Amino acid sequence: MPARPMDPRTRRSRSALETALRELIAERDLSQISVSDITKRAGVNRSTFYEHYTDVHDLAAASCTTVFDELVAAGPAAVPPATPDGGPPDNPLPDLFAHVAEHAPLYRALLGDDGSARVINHLLQRMTVTAHIRRGPAQDTGPYETGGAEDPADAAGTPHDPAAAFVAGAVLGSVVDWLRHDCPGTPEEMGAALWPLLIGIAAAAGWETERPGSPAAG
């Protein structure tokens, strides 16, 4: 069943609070931002904040969902299949690192030493579930119950899929390390260096990197 849409007042309040947090993160570390800072910037009272979020970290996860979804969509949560003519799959990593570079202050604040473990776990879970789903029915490790969630990556019933978790962790770990070192090298250079490693992981895990019926697939 689709999630019930928010009423306009709730949507406005949440949008104001999320925008306020994103603005504050650009100015200081997450650990230095209080609920009072956020409500003052958003122009709402504390009771409104607690109607929607439990604390600053809860708001951080929610306020960055759109950006996180862009990262998940850009990233190789699973190695894509070969091209229609049976050639090697396209390398999505340069787009991933270009996206991270574009939002570097936000990601550095949330994923760095002074960031939020809750936010990191939120992103890692979304990437793991996406990896599991993209692997396809042939690689399914068990039933996936969405529990009625509109977005499968938000579902609580994540199956145990060590290979998907390994890929998600490797990709996210590379992103965090790149940010920690102030993003050395271009996105294209990072993609070229890491893509063979990811292909190797996919092959070792038995992931399909060829389209059914392609010459390489036999």
Side-chain angles (χ1 to χ4, degrees):
M1 178 182 296
R4 188 174 299 174
M6 295 184 202
D7 65 74
R9 181 177 178 181
T10 296
R11 189 180 299 110
R12 285 194 298 271
S13 296
R14 291 175 68 100
S15 177
L17 290 165
E18 293 169 7
T19 298
L21 179 63
R22 285 194 291 268
E23 291 175 355
L24 289 166
I25 282 176
E27 301 170 5
R28 68 190 85 160
D29 292 339
L30 184 65
S31 60
Q32 298 176 335
I33 299 173
S34 67
V35 171
S36 295
D37 294 330
I38 295 166
T39 55
K40 181 178 180 180
R41 179 70 62 95
V44 302
N45 55 46
R46 290 176 65 90
S47 63
T48 299
F49 178 95
Y50 288 113
E51 285 176 8
H52 304 292
Y53 308 102
T54 57
D55 55 26
V56 173
H57 294 274
D58 187 30
L59 171 60
S63 68
C64 298
T65 293
T66 300
V67 179
F68 283 174
D69 286 347
E70 292 175 2
L71 175 57
V72 170
V79 176
T83 58
D85 61 2
D90 294 331
N91 182 355
L93 283 169
D95 288 341
L96 166 68
F97 283 97
H99 169 88
V100 172
E102 181 182 357
H103 301 281
L106 174 64
Y107 283 121
R108 191 174 287 113
L110 295 177
L111 306 180
D113 293 339
D114 296 320
S116 168
R118 195 181 310 175
V119 171
I120 293 170
N121 288 334
H122 173 83
L123 178 54
L124 187 59
Q125 181 189 29
R126 294 181 70 82
M127 295 176 75
T128 299
V129 174
T130 301
H132 173 79
I133 292 172
R134 290 181 182 174
R135 292 179 70 184
Q139 302 298 327
D140 195 8
T141 58
Y144 181 79
E145 301 294 337
T146 63
E150 187 172 1
D151 180 357
D154 281 333
T158 308
H160 179 57
D161 189 342
F166 189 85
V167 169
V171 172
L172 186 57
S174 297
V175 167
V176 171
D177 183 71
W178 195 53
L179 288 166
R180 183 176 292 121
H181 290 88
D182 294 326
C183 303
T186 66
E188 290 73 21
E189 290 170 342
M190 290 297 297
L194 296 177
W195 184 234
L197 303 178
L198 199 60
I199 289 289
I201 292 172
W207 291 22
E208 293 182 357
T209 58
E210 300 166 352
R211 292 190 183 278
S214 69

